[in-house]
Amino acid sequence: MSDSNNAHNVSYLDYKGQYKGLSAWIFSTDHKRIGLLYLYTMLAFFSVGAILGLLMKTELIAPGATIMGPKAYNALFTLHGIIMIFIIVVPGLPAVFGNFFLPIMIGAKDVAFPRLNLLSWWLYVIGILIVLTSQFLGDGPPDTGWTFYAPYSFQTPANVLPAVFGAFVMGFSSILTGINFVVTIHRMRAPGMTWFKMPLFPWTLYGTAWIQILATPVIGITLLLIVAERLLGIGIFDPALGGDPILYQHLFWIYSHPAVYIMILPGMGVISEIIPVFSKKTIFGYKAIVLSTMAIAFVGYFVWGHHMFTSGMSGRALYTFSFLTFLVAIPSAIKVFNWVSTMHKGSLDMQTPFYWAVSFIFVFMIGGLTGLVLGSLATNVHVHDTHFVVAHFHYIVFGGTGYAFMAALHYWFPKMFGRMYDLGWANLGWGIFFIGFNALYLPMFFLGMQGMPRRYYDYLPDFHGGNIISSLGAWVMISGIIIIFANLIRSARHGKKTTQKNPWGGKTLEWQVETPPTLENFEEIPTIEKGPYHFGE
Amino acid sequence: MNPGASNFVEGVNNAFIFIIGISLFFLIGITLVIILFLYRYNKKRHPKAVQIEGSNKLEVIWTIIPLALVMGMFYYGYVGWKPMKRIPDEGVRITANARMWSFSFTYENGRITEKLYVPVDTAVIVRLNALDVVHSLYIPAFRVKEDMVPGLANNQMWFQPNKVGNYSLFCTEYCGLQHSFMHTEVVVMEPAEFWEWYSDTTAVAIPIEEGADLALLGRQLVESKGCLACHSLDGSTIIGPSFLGAWGSNVPVVTNGQEREVAFDEAYVLRSIYEPDADIHQGYRAGQMFSYQGEITEQQIELIVEFLKSLNE
Amino acid sequence: MIEHRDDLASKMGMWLFIFTELLLFGMLFVVYAVYRSMHPEAFKLASEELDVVLGTFNTVILLISSMTVAMSITSIQKGNKKLAMTLLIITLVIAVVFLVNKYFEWGSKFEYGFNPGGEELLQLGHGTILFFGLYFVMTGIHAIHILIGVGLFIYVLLQLRKDKIHQTDYIWLENTGLYWHLVDLIWIFLFPLLYLIH
Amino acid sequence: MSQETTHIVSYKTQIFVLLALLVLTAISVAITRIEMGPFNTAAALLIASIKASIVLAWFMHLKFESRFFTVMVAAVFILFLLVILVTFFDYSYR
Ligand code: HEA
Ligand code: HEA
Ligand code: CUA
Ligand SMILES: [Cu+2]
C-alpha cells in the first residue's frame, strides 16, 4: 500500500480502493461514504417532494381548478406523502448523520456490519425505484394517500401495488439499519465509554433503532396483506368478505405512530448536541434526557389509536388512547425544558447551526402543543382530518425533523466535506425560510378549526383567505430553501478548504479526528474518561 | 373558530380554550425566556459560561407540573366528548348513506334527500352506513364527526342543533377521486316547519306535469345523484363508461364470466343501476359502481333513460 | 482494511432479526385473534376442514429437524464435520418433505374451491372466508420462510464442504440454526391455532 | 471475539428435549379433542408457550447465553402481549 493511500492518513474522500469513479461510492462499505450516498439520494427526492408540495399549494391558492384536476391533486399528495415520510424523514437523520457520525462518536472504526450497511442503501434505492414505477406503469399513479386505507386502497384502479411494495422494501432497509446500530452501540463503544458517557445523539439513535426493529415489521406485514388482497383476492380487510377496515387502521398506525418517533428522536439528539456546544456549557440534565428518550420510544408504541378517534372504535379504547397520548407528551416537555436550561448562564455563540437549533425548539413547541389539541378527545373530533392536522404534522415533522436536519447539516458540514460554507448566505437563507415556514403553515391551523377538511382539492369560498396567505408563504419558504441549498452545494465543491479539527469547539469525539475524517477514523481508538460534554476545565 | 350550533359546542370549545390557553402560556413563556437568554448570555455580554450539570429537583418539578396540566387536558377532552357517545333513546332517526361521492339521507317515513334536514332543539340520531369505502360525516358547526365504515353495524352519531340555519357538511375521510366534492348541507328548521316538510310526501314521487321536459328532469337527477362523478357526458372515461352516445349502442359486457353483447336499452339501464355487477362493461372493473336499489325508483330510471336518449340528438 | 470478527455481534444481529420476524408473525396473530373473536363458531367449523393428521405429521417432522440442526452445531463444535453435514442434510430433506406436504394440503383445498376467491369459498359465510384467507396467508408466509431456510442450508453445506465453516468459526451455521428454530417456533403456534380449534 | 464461553449442548440433552416436545405435541392434540369450551384454546396456547420456551432455552441456547438475550426476548413477548391487550380495548367493547 503506497503511503499516500494509507488508511490512517488519507481522507475518506480521497481514499482509492478497489473501485474507481462512481463505483468507489456505490460499492463502498465505508460508513461515511454510505452516509453521503444517503444524503445525495435524499436531496434529490427531497427536491421532488418539495416541488410537489409547492404545486399543491399553488392549486389551493383559489377555489376551483387552478392548475390541475382532482386526479392529479390526489396523486400529488399521495406521492408527496410517500416521498416525505418513507424516503426522507423515516430514514433521514439515522441514515445520513447516524451512519456518518455514530461510529466516530462512540470511537469505532465502522458500524458492526459494514456490508449489511451497504445493502441497506441498495435496498433503499431499489425501494425508491419500485415506488417510482407506480407513477409510470399501469393504470395511473396511486391516489390513496400515504396511509393506504382499506378498502379504498384495493378498490381503486390506480397502480397501488408498486407503491406499497416499494414501501415494504424500504422498510426492510430501515430494519437492517436499526439492527446494525443496536449491535454497533452494544459491541463497539470505545474503552471507557460506559452507557452514561455516551453522547446524546448516539443515545437517540439507539432508541430509534429499537423502534425501527420492533415497529417496522408491523408495516411490513400490513403492506404485504394489501398486496395479497389486491393481487390474490384474499379477504382480510375487505368488508365485502367480512373483513374489518378498522383493523387495517390499527395495524397501519401500530407502525406509523412509533414511526413518528423514529423521525423525531434523532432530531432531538442533534439538538442536544448543538445546544451545549454553542452555549459552551455542559448539557443540563443529561440523564433526564436519556431517560426521556427511552420513555418516548417505549410509551410511543401504545398510543397509535389517537389517529383513529373518529373511526368507530369502542369508547373505552378511545379514552385509553387519549390518556396514553398525553403521557407520551411529558418526556418531550422534559427535553424542551432541559435544552432551555442549558442555555441559562451559558456563553452563547450565535452561529448558523445554533439559529437552526433555537428555531427548532420554537417550531417543535408549536407542533407538539397542537399535538395536545389533537390528543384530547373532544377537540380531536372537531379537527381530525382537517388542515389542523396537516399543520400539526408539518410543524412537527418538517419543523422538527426538517429543522434538525438543517441544523445537523450546518453543524457537521465542515467535518464532512473539509470545506466551509458562507455564513452570511446561510443566515439569510435561514431567515427567509423561517418567515416563509410560519406564513405557510400557521394559517392552516385556523383553516382546520374553521372546518376545512384535508386532502381536499377544492374548497368552499369561506376558506379562501387563509389559503392565500399559506400559498404565498410556500413561495417565500422555497426562496429561502433555494438560497440555503445553493450555498451548501456550492460550498461542498468550491468552499474555503479547512482542516481545522474543531471549528465550533465541540467536545465529542468527532471533533478530535481529522477534517475530513480518515478512512479508519482513528489512528488509535481513544480511551474515554469523562462524560461527553465537559466544557468546564 | 367556526361559530357553533349544537349542544356539543360548549364542551368542545371549553376543551379548546383550556388546552390552547395553557399551550399559549408555555409557548410564549418559553419563547420569551429563550429570547432573554439569547440577549443576556450572549458571548459578548457573558464570555464565560457557568457549568451546571443539572438539578433533580427541577427535573421533578417539570415532570409533575406538565403531568398535572395534561391530565387536566385529558379531563376536559373527556368531558366534552362523553355526551357524544351517550346516544339518547328518543329523537328523530335518520339513516345516512355514503357512497362515492354523495350522501343520501333516509327518514323514517321513507323520504330520501340529498341535504340533511333536521328540526332545531331536538335530538337527531343518525345511523351511518357506507356502501363502498370509508367515508366520514363532519359538520363543523356541530363539532361532530364520525367515520362511515362499510360493514360496521350499529354505527351511530347524534346531536341536537340549537340554531336555525344552513351549515356545511363534509366527507372528511379520503374516499377517492371526487372526495373534495362530497359535501352537502344541513338545514336546521323550526320544528313546526320541519314536521310540515317531513309529512309532505308529495316530493317523494316527482310530480311530472303535462309537457314537462323529461330529459331535463333526468339530467337533474343524474347530476344530483352524483352519477357524473364517474360517467362523463363528453365521451371521455372517468371511472365508468361515458354516457355520450351510449343509448342504442351495443355494449360488450361480461356476464358471469361470459363475454357477450347487449343492447343499451331501457332494461339494460335498469339492470345497470340496480345490479351493476351483473353485466360488466368490458374493460371496466366490477365493484366500482354500487347498486342504487331503494335509492332510485323505477319511475326515476325512466327519466334517466329519457335523458340518455336525448344525448344522441 | 482489517476484517475484524465478532461472533457475539453477529449472533446479536441475528437475534434482533428474529425479533422483527416474531413481530411480523405476531401481527398476523393479532388479525387472527380479532377475527376469531368476531366469528368464533365459523372459525371452529372451518378449522375442522383442515387435516389434523397431516398437520400433526408436519409438526413432528419440523420438531425433529429442529433437533437435527441443533445437533449439527454440537458436532461442529466437537469438530465432527462429517456428522454435522449429515445432520444438516437430514434437516434439509425434512424441510423439503414439509413443503411437499404443504403442497398437497393446499392442493386439496384448491380442488374443493377453497382457494382465495374460489367459488365454493365465496358461498360460505364471512367467518369461513376470513379463516381460509388467514390460513393461506399464514401458512404461505411460513412456507416462504421454509424455502429461505432451504436456501440457507444449501449455502451452509457448501461452506462446510469448503471448510469455510469449521470448529472455530461456525457462526453461519449457528445463525442458520437460530433462523430454523424461529421457523419452528412460529409453527408451534400456528399449528394449534389453525388445526386444533374445537 | 473469544470462544471460551461457548457451551456445548450434548446430543443426549437434545434427544430429551425433542422427546419432551413430541410428548407435549401429543398432549395438545389429545386435549383439544376433549370438549372444554374456552379452555381448549387456553390449554393449547399454554402448551404451545411451554414448547416455545423449551425451543428457546435449549435449541436456541438462550439458557447458556448472556442474560441480555433472555431479557430482550422476554421484552419482545411482553411488548407483543401489550399490543394485543390494547387492541382488544377496542374489540372487546365495541
Ligand atoms: C415527527 C413526527 C411527529 C411527532 C414527534 C408527533 C408528536 C405528537 N403528535 Fe403527531 N402526527 C404526526 C407526526 C408527529 N407527531 C403526523 C405525521 C401525523 C398525521 C398523520 C396523518 O394522518 O397523515 C400526526 C397526527 C397526530 C394525531 C392524529 C390527528 C388526527 O388525525 O386526528 C395526534 C392525536 O393525538 C397527534 C398527537 C401528537 C402528540 C400528543 C405528540 C407529542 O409527542 C408532542 C409532544 C411535544 C410537546 C408537548 C411540546 C413540547 C413541550 C413543551 C413546550 C412544554 C409544555 C408542555 C406541556 C404543558 C405538556 N399527532
Ligand atoms: C417531511 C415531511 C414533509 C415535508 C418536508 C413537507 C413539505 C411540504 N408540504 Fe407536505 N405533507 C407531508 C409531509 C411533508 N410535507 C405528509 C406526510 C402529508 C400527508 C399526505 C397525505 O395526506 O397522504 C403532506 C401533505 C401536504 C399537504 C396537504 C394536502 C391535503 O391534505 O390536501 C400540503 C398542502 O399544501 C402540503 C404542502 C407542503 C409544502 C408546500 C411543502 C414543501 O414544498 C416545502 C418546501 C420544502 C423545503 C423548503 C425544504 C425543507 C428542508 C428539509 C425538510 C430538510 C432537508 C432534508 C434533506 C435534504 C434530506 N403537504
Ligand atoms: Cu367520501 Cu370522502
Ligand atoms: Cu401519532
Side-chain angles (χ1 to χ4, degrees):
Chain A
M1 207 184 277
S2 75
D3 204 45
S4 69
N5 210 10
N6 184 317
H8 282 307
N9 54 25
V10 73
S11 138
Y12 79 103
L13 289 168
D14 302 330
Y15 179 78
K16 302 231 170 18
Q18 194 181 348
Y19 299 106
K20 302 253 151 8
L22 185 62
S23 306
W25 285 84
I26 59 176
F27 295 121
S28 166
T29 56
D30 177 20
H31 66 101
K32 300 181 282 303
R33 288 197 173 192
I34 295 177
L36 288 192
L37 285 178
Y38 272 112
L39 177 65
Y40 298 141
T41 329
M42 274 176 205
L43 274 181
F45 283 94
F46 179 71
S47 358
V48 178
I51 290 169
L52 299 179
L54 211 60
L55 287 175
M56 277 191 285
K57 279 279 53 137
T58 311
E59 166 58 42
L60 289 180
I61 199 164
T66 315
I67 55 168
M68 64 180 91
K71 199 166 186 160
Y73 186 84
N74 296 347
L76 277 189
F77 70 68
T78 305
L79 188 61
H80 172 78
I82 294 176
I83 290 186
M84 288 304 191
I85 298 286
F86 293 116
I87 304 186
I88 310 290
V89 289
V90 167
L93 285 152
V96 178
F97 297 104
N99 263 322
F100 201 109
F101 287 106
L102 170 70
I104 309 188
M105 288 175 95
I106 62 173
K109 292 191 168 170
D110 205 322
V111 292
F113 311 114
R115 271 181 300 170
L116 202 63
N117 203 10
L118 182 62
L119 178 66
S120 305
W121 181 76
W122 274 102
L123 284 177
Y124 170 71
V125 171
I126 293 170
I128 295 177
L129 291 178
I130 299 178
V131 168
L132 287 186
T133 60
S134 71
Q135 300 301 308
F136 307 110
L137 301 177
D139 308 304
D143 61 344
T144 57
W146 77 283
T147 45
F148 303 115
Y149 267 18
Y152 184 69
S153 59
F154 46 85
Q155 285 194 359
T156 170
N159 202 11
V160 178
L161 273 180
V164 169
F165 192 65
F168 174 79
V169 175
M170 283 190 260
F172 221 95
S173 150
S174 176
I175 290 177
L176 294 184
T177 307
I179 292 179
N180 224 333
F181 283 5
V182 169
V183 177
T184 307
I185 291 173
H186 269 277
R187 300 292 300 161
M188 299 177 72
R189 273 169 292 133
M193 183 177 280
T194 56
W195 283 98
F196 286 116
K197 289 205 177 102
M198 191 162 74
L200 288 164
F201 183 52
W203 257 117
T204 51
L205 289 174
Y206 184 68
T208 309
W210 272 112
I211 315 178
Q212 280 174 305
I213 292 171
L214 297 179
T216 319
V218 182
I219 191 82
I221 189 68
T222 314
L223 296 177
L224 276 188
L225 287 175
I226 294 194
V227 172
E229 191 110 44
R230 262 187 94 92
L231 215 55
L232 311 172
I234 294 184
I236 301 282
F237 302 121
D238 186 351
L241 300 178
D244 179 13
I246 301 176
L247 185 59
Y248 171 82
Q249 301 178 16
H250 275 296
L251 291 187
F252 183 83
W253 291 114
I254 290 177
Y255 164 72
S256 294
H257 183 81
V260 310
Y261 295 117
I262 295 180
M263 304 168 199
I264 199 68
L265 282 177
M268 294 168 156
V270 169
I271 302 306
S272 311
E273 294 293 334
I274 293 178
I275 300 242
V277 170
F278 291 88
S279 306
K280 296 282 163 282
K281 182 163 170 280
T282 181
I283 187 109
F284 192 91
Y286 171 87
K287 278 205 177 144
I289 296 185
V290 169
L291 290 179
S292 61
T293 301
M294 298 322 273
I296 292 178
F298 181 71
V299 185
Y301 213 98
F302 303 103
V303 305
W304 74 81
H306 65 209
H307 296 268
M308 304 161 57
F309 281 158
T310 66
S311 69
M313 272 199 296
S314 82
R316 193 172 304 217
L318 291 181
Y319 57 75
T320 313
F321 280 123
S322 172
F323 183 80
L324 291 168
T325 300
F326 280 113
L327 288 189
V328 85
I330 300 302
S332 300
I334 294 176
K335 281 182 198 260
V336 169
F337 292 130
N338 280 307
W339 291 327
V340 175
S341 308
T342 304
M343 285 153 65
H344 177 60
K345 295 205 174 153
S347 173
L348 309 184
D349 185 9
M350 309 281 272
Q351 302 263 23
T352 317
F354 194 56
Y355 282 133
W356 282 105
V358 171
S359 49
F360 167 96
I361 302 183
F362 178 73
V363 288
F364 176 76
M365 282 197 295
I366 299 184
L369 292 166
T370 51
L372 300 175
V373 177
L374 291 169
S376 138
L377 287 168
T379 47
N380 180 285
V381 169
H382 181 51
V383 290
H384 167 74
D385 262 346
T386 66
H387 271 254
F388 192 93
V389 179
V390 179
H392 157 71
F393 69 69
H394 280 94
Y395 257 98
I396 205 158
V397 179
F398 191 1
T401 317
Y403 276 52
F405 200 97
M406 303 304 272
L409 208 51
H410 286 92
Y411 178 55
W412 280 314
F413 188 90
K415 178 61 70 181
M416 296 167 83
F417 295 98
R419 291 175 189 273
M420 195 58 204
Y421 50 85
D422 185 299
L423 288 168
W425 282 109
N427 291 343
L428 179 71
W430 168 81
I432 297 177
F433 177 86
F434 185 71
I435 295 168
F437 180 88
N438 288 295
L440 166 55
Y441 296 118
L442 211 51
M444 286 194 188
F445 285 121
F446 298 99
L447 288 171
M449 301 238 279
Q450 256 182 312
M452 175 172 168
R454 68 189 280 205
R455 294 172 174 176
Y456 258 36
Y457 143 81
D458 193 9
Y459 51 87
L460 300 180
D462 317 8
F463 304 126
H464 195 181
N467 272 301
I468 296 182
I469 304 175
S470 172
S471 296
L472 294 180
W475 287 95
V476 175
M477 184 173 82
I478 211 81
S479 349
I481 204 79
I482 289 174
I483 296 177
I484 293 167
F485 280 121
N487 183 23
L488 289 180
I489 291 169
R490 199 194 63 83
S491 308
R493 310 177 66 213
H494 310 294
K496 204 164 90 253
K497 271 208 162 161
T498 169
T499 53
Q500 205 189 340
K501 279 188 183 173
N502 195 352
W504 317 116
K507 293 286 170 186
T508 36
L509 286 177
E510 80 271 29
W511 302 114
Q512 292 166 34
V513 301
E514 298 296 327
T515 295
T518 57
L519 186 67
E520 296 258 288
N521 300 342
F522 300 94
E523 210 153 321
E524 203 176 319
I525 301 288
T527 304
I528 312 297
E529 277 145 18
K530 280 189 258 174
Y533 306 103
H534 258 269
F535 286 91
E537 231 27 79
Chain B
M1 184 74 126
N2 193 314
S6 88
N7 57 329
F8 302 133
V9 171
E10 197 187 337
V12 173
N13 284 5
N14 284 344
F16 266 115
I17 292 166
F18 184 79
I19 300 173
I20 293 182
I22 291 181
S23 297
L24 279 180
F25 172 79
F26 275 93
L27 178 68
I28 294 171
I30 294 175
T31 309
L32 286 180
V33 171
I34 293 178
I35 292 173
L36 179 77
F37 285 176
L38 289 184
Y39 173 80
R40 175 77 186 73
Y41 299 118
N42 195 298
K43 197 163 66 170
K44 282 176 261 155
R45 283 178 209 86
H46 198 253
K48 182 105 184 76
V50 182
Q51 301 301 323
I52 308 166
E53 291 276 337
S55 147
N56 285 341
K57 201 168 88 196
L58 277 176
E59 301 290 349
V60 171
I61 292 177
W62 62 48
T63 307
I64 299 291
I65 292 181
L67 193 63
L69 290 174
V70 294
M71 286 305 108
M73 295 178 186
F74 171 72
Y75 174 76
Y76 272 93
Y78 178 80
V79 169
W81 159 86
K82 190 72 202 163
M84 299 182 192
K85 290 283 152 178
R86 223 178 263 138
I87 295 176
D89 302 328
E90 294 285 311
V92 179
R93 288 182 187 273
I94 300 169
T95 303
N97 281 306
R99 61 157 74 228
M100 293 168 168
W101 293 279
S102 58
F103 290 104
S104 75
F105 302 97
T106 311
Y107 296 78
E108 271 180 313
N109 63 353
R111 200 168 171 165
I112 298 178
T113 60
E114 279 118 35
K115 289 185 184 177
L116 176 59
Y117 294 88
V118 291
V120 74
D121 290 329
T122 315
V124 179
I125 301 157
V126 187
R127 172 179 297 277
L128 305 168
N129 282 334
L131 292 162
D132 34 38
V133 299
V134 184
H135 302 269
S136 186
L137 197 160
Y138 175 36
I139 307 170
F142 294 177
R143 309 283 188 269
V144 290
K145 178 185 292 137
E146 189 69 32
D147 284 6
M148 309 170 82
V149 185
L152 183 66
N154 279 325
N155 195 14
Q156 295 186 338
M157 74 174 357
W158 84 283
F159 48 78
Q160 185 166 321
N162 57 19
K163 231 188 274 161
V164 172
N166 289 17
Y167 306 97
S168 308
L169 184 159
F170 299 103
C171 170
T172 46
E173 187 58 67
Y174 176 68
C175 52
L177 188 65
Q178 310 265 24
H179 163 63
S180 46
F181 298 105
M182 191 167 163
H183 57 79
T184 174
E185 274 187 340
V186 197
V187 181
V188 183
M189 304 190 260
E190 290 297 347
E193 201 187 340
F194 173 81
W195 292 113
E196 193 185 328
W197 171 89
Y198 183 79
S199 43
D200 175 18
T201 42
T202 47
V204 173
I206 305 169
I208 299 174
E209 296 154 25
E210 203 62 40
D213 185 346
L214 298 184
L216 185 69
L217 289 175
R219 182 186 189 109
Q220 284 162 356
L221 202 62
V222 165
E223 280 169 358
S224 68
K225 293 287 178 190
C227 316
L228 300 184
C230 298
H231 300 283
S232 79
L233 301 178
D234 61 3
S236 64
T237 297
I238 308 177
I239 289 191
S242 175
F243 283 156
L244 184 71
W247 182 260
S249 64
N250 278 333
V251 189
V253 295
V254 182
T255 314
N256 288 329
Q258 227 109 46
E259 293 187 10
R260 60 180 192 127
E261 283 212 344
V262 289
F264 197 110
D265 55 14
E266 213 167 325
Y268 178 68
V269 172
L270 187 106
R271 203 161 60 244
S272 292
I273 293 175
Y274 282 172
E275 300 168 68
D277 287 347
D279 299 309
I280 305 295
H281 194 133
Q282 279 178 33
Y284 294 89
R285 283 165 50 117
Q288 294 280 315
M289 179 170 163
F290 281 75
S291 168
Y292 285 82
Q293 189 104 41
E295 236 179 286
I296 297 182
T297 60
E298 295 197 19
Q299 185 208 7
Q300 286 173 317
I301 291 181
E302 277 166 32
L303 297 175
I304 294 179
V305 165
E306 288 307 314
F307 166 62
L308 292 177
K309 277 185 197 160
S310 75
L311 287 174
N312 283 4
E313 280 150 24
Chain C
M1 225 196 265
I2 330 132
E3 274 300 324
H4 83 128
R5 186 174 138 220
D6 181 352
D7 284 349
L8 191 59
S10 309
K11 207 190 295 177
M12 194 184 270
M14 190 66 207
W15 271 103
L16 294 175
F17 179 71
I18 287 177
F19 294 164
T20 68
E21 293 275 14
L22 285 176
L23 280 157
L24 188 125
F25 277 96
M27 289 307 131
L28 284 176
F29 287 124
V30 172
V31 175
Y32 173 91
V34 166
Y35 285 149
R36 187 165 160 192
S37 77
M38 286 175 161
H39 309 277
E41 281 309 310
F43 265 51
K44 208 159 149 176
L45 290 176
S47 145
E48 276 163 19
E49 299 287 321
L50 298 187
D51 189 337
V52 183
V53 179
L54 215 56
T56 315
F57 180 72
N58 264 350
T59 311
V60 170
I61 60 172
L62 210 54
L63 287 173
I64 295 175
S65 76
S66 244
M67 183 192 67
T68 48
V69 207
M71 281 182 165
S72 83
I73 295 173
T74 308
S75 26
I76 199 76
Q77 282 169 334
K78 293 185 172 166
N80 191 343
K81 173 178 159 192
K82 211 133 149 235
L83 184 58
M85 287 184 72
T86 319
L87 285 164
L88 271 186
I89 291 173
I90 298 178
T91 318
L92 188 65
V93 169
I94 292 181
V96 174
V97 172
F98 184 96
L99 285 176
V100 171
N101 273 340
K102 259 279 100 69
Y103 173 81
F104 283 114
E105 205 183 334
W106 276 36
S108 76
K109 297 286 161 315
F110 275 67
E111 231 167 80
Y112 294 125
F114 274 43
N115 50 311
E119 302 255 314
E120 289 299 316
L121 189 56
L122 291 182
Q123 307 296 314
L124 299 168
H126 284 163
T128 320
I129 299 178
L130 290 174
F131 179 87
F132 278 100
L134 279 169
Y135 164 77
F136 281 110
V137 169
M138 288 169 127
T139 56
I141 295 181
H142 184 256
I144 291 176
H145 280 80
I146 299 229
L147 220 54
I148 295 172
V150 169
L152 282 173
F153 285 134
I154 293 174
Y155 176 77
V156 169
L157 275 167
L158 290 177
Q159 297 291 307
L160 262 171
R161 217 181 53 190
K162 285 190 268 175
D163 277 326
K164 287 265 172 62
I165 297 179
H166 49 76
Q167 189 170 6
T168 50
D169 183 2
Y170 53 85
I171 185 70
W172 262 95
L173 175 56
E174 210 178 354
N175 279 348
T176 305
L178 281 177
Y179 174 84
W180 193 247
H181 297 307
L182 164 81
V183 173
D184 192 14
L185 212 57
I186 287 160
W187 186 258
I188 286 179
F189 284 99
L190 281 185
F191 173 59
L193 289 179
L194 291 177
Y195 292 77
L196 297 182
I197 324 172
H198 278 282
Chain D
M1 219 7 75
S2 58
Q3 303 290 318
E4 71 265 274
T5 52
T6 316
H7 178 98
I8 301 185
V9 189
S10 74
Y11 297 122
K12 210 169 85 195
T13 321
Q14 282 165 343
I15 290 178
F16 276 127
V17 171
L18 177 65
L19 286 180
L21 289 171
L22 291 179
V23 170
L24 285 169
T25 309
I27 297 180
S28 81
V29 174
I31 211 165
T32 46
R33 304 282 110 182
I34 314 164
E35 197 52 64
M36 299 193 301
F39 293 108
N40 272 327
T41 317
L45 280 180
L46 184 70
I47 295 175
S49 309
I50 298 173
K51 281 165 74 180
S53 321
I54 293 176
V55 170
L56 281 165
W58 276 281
F59 283 167
M60 298 174 91
H61 291 203
L62 265 192
K63 205 164 157 356
F64 317 108
E65 301 287 1
S66 76
R67 273 280 300 287
F68 171 76
F69 288 94
T70 321
V71 172
M72 284 325 304
V73 173
V76 169
F77 274 97
I78 291 171
L79 182 80
F80 172 64
L81 290 179
L82 284 175
V83 168
I84 289 213
L85 180 82
V86 177
T87 311
F88 272 85
F89 265 91
D90 176 10
Y91 286 96
S92 314
Y93 301 103
R94 277 253 180 100

